[in-house]
Amino acid sequence: MGDSIFDVGTNKYMKNSVSRCDFVPYGETRYTKPSGRCSDGFIIPDLINKALGLPFSKPFLGLKAESQVFPSINFASDGSGLFDSTHSDWGVVSFSEQLKQLREFSMKISKKNLNDFVVVISSGGNDIAANLQNIMDVDLEGMLLSLEKGLQQLYEYGFRKIIYSSVGPLGCSPIVTSGGNCVNEINNLVEQFNTQARGIVLRAEERLPGMRSAFVDGYSPIKSFVENPIQFGFKNAGGCCPNCLSHKNTLSGLCKNPSDYVFWDMIHPTEHTYTLIAKEFIEQIKRVL
């Protein structure tokens, strides 16, 4: 569940959603047509499923009622945040609505089988990104409270295995960088959030009997990729498709080899980047299983 880092096509089922990645050239590396994934190819849920031998996730909103018990279901929505107000006018599925969907899903499965599921979450980045022009408006305390309440709700629904992904280095994304240098003011705020979010996630094991939880740091690796791209197999720390966030893009500047780039568009990583950071997700999932 979460945002565009995990969304495999949820928003195409949302009427009038303007936050979608189901247009050319998204998915060009892996798919015959855009699938709604905000990258050139596979994203983290795909890479996790491949490693665990599971079929690719399907959006919860795209499942028929009789087939909702599926080995891997995706609830993430591009543009959503920990706050319901984040991009609420974009036609996204809010964090609280995703929790309701997970509750609906949990009621279809026995408690014994529910213990086999791992809930992997990527949320919080959009709450900060929506305020990049004035980061003093970011309500970190409210974000952390929403996360803590969300973990509590998942526990009450019967889920006992949860992985939470850090917010990435937004100050290093092409949408804000100048001359290839990360914006420290933005990254410092992200680091504050990640540090406190990590504490909340890890303490969940202590205060919720039977809970297995883990925090994955995607922030540090991506920041390193941007600062030293050659060292990690990249040729460019920027975005391969600078105009891709717009449905009206002209594909001007589209690079020939996305794997050379850390980012696909102005904010979302390439499959190459996701592949490097997915390894930690896979390790943590195996640990909590």
Side-chain angles (χ1 to χ4, degrees), residues 247-286:
H247 283 257
K248 299 178 181 179
N249 73 77
T250 61
L251 306 187
S252 62
L254 177 63
C255 73
K256 294 181 179 180
N257 188 5
S259 65
D260 288 343
Y261 288 70
V262 176
F263 290 92
W264 166 243
D265 54 26
M266 291 293 96
I267 197 165
H268 302 107
T270 57
E271 179 185 307
H272 183 189
T273 299
Y274 281 136
T275 300
L276 295 177
I277 62 177
K279 297 174 183 177
E280 181 64 18
F281 282 91
I282 294 162
E283 288 184 12
Q284 293 298 336
I285 288 172
K286 290 179 177 179

Side-chain angles (χ1 to χ4, degrees), residues 13-139:
Y13 298 99
M14 293 293 290
K15 185 178 180 179
N16 300 324
S17 176
V18 297
S19 189
R20 295 164 60 162
C21 291
D22 57 349
F23 53 93
V24 174
Y26 283 97
E28 70 161 20
T29 299
R30 294 289 180 180
Y31 302 95
T32 56
K33 61 180 181 179
S35 63
R37 291 163 170 81
C38 294
S39 186
D40 62 295
F42 293 150
I43 59 175
I44 289 173
D46 303 319
L47 297 165
I48 291 173
N49 288 9
K50 281 187 64 180
L52 298 180
L54 296 172
F56 284 169
S57 301
K58 293 185 177 182
F60 176 77
L61 293 182
L63 293 175
K64 295 180 180 179
E66 65 271 16
S67 63
Q68 286 186 343
V69 179
F70 192 75
S72 182
I73 300 178
N74 193 289
F75 301 83
S77 175
D78 175 15
S80 68
L82 290 168
F83 293 132
D84 286 354
S85 59
T86 297
H87 298 152
S88 59
D89 57 340
W90 286 14
V92 305
V93 184
S94 68
F95 186 68
S96 64
E97 185 61 31
Q98 290 178 43
L99 286 169
K100 292 177 182 177
Q101 292 174 352
L102 276 149
R103 181 176 183 274
E104 180 182 339
F105 170 73
S106 71
M107 295 174 69
K108 300 177 181 294
I109 302 175
S110 69
K111 291 295 183 182
K112 180 180 179 181
N113 291 333
L114 200 59
N115 287 336
D116 294 332
F117 283 87
V118 180
V119 180
V120 189
I121 307 169
S122 169
S123 189
N126 285 316
D127 302 291
I128 298 175
N131 293 284
L132 289 180
Q133 299 300 317
N134 189 357
I135 61 172
M136 296 303 295
D137 289 341
V138 176
D139 181 6

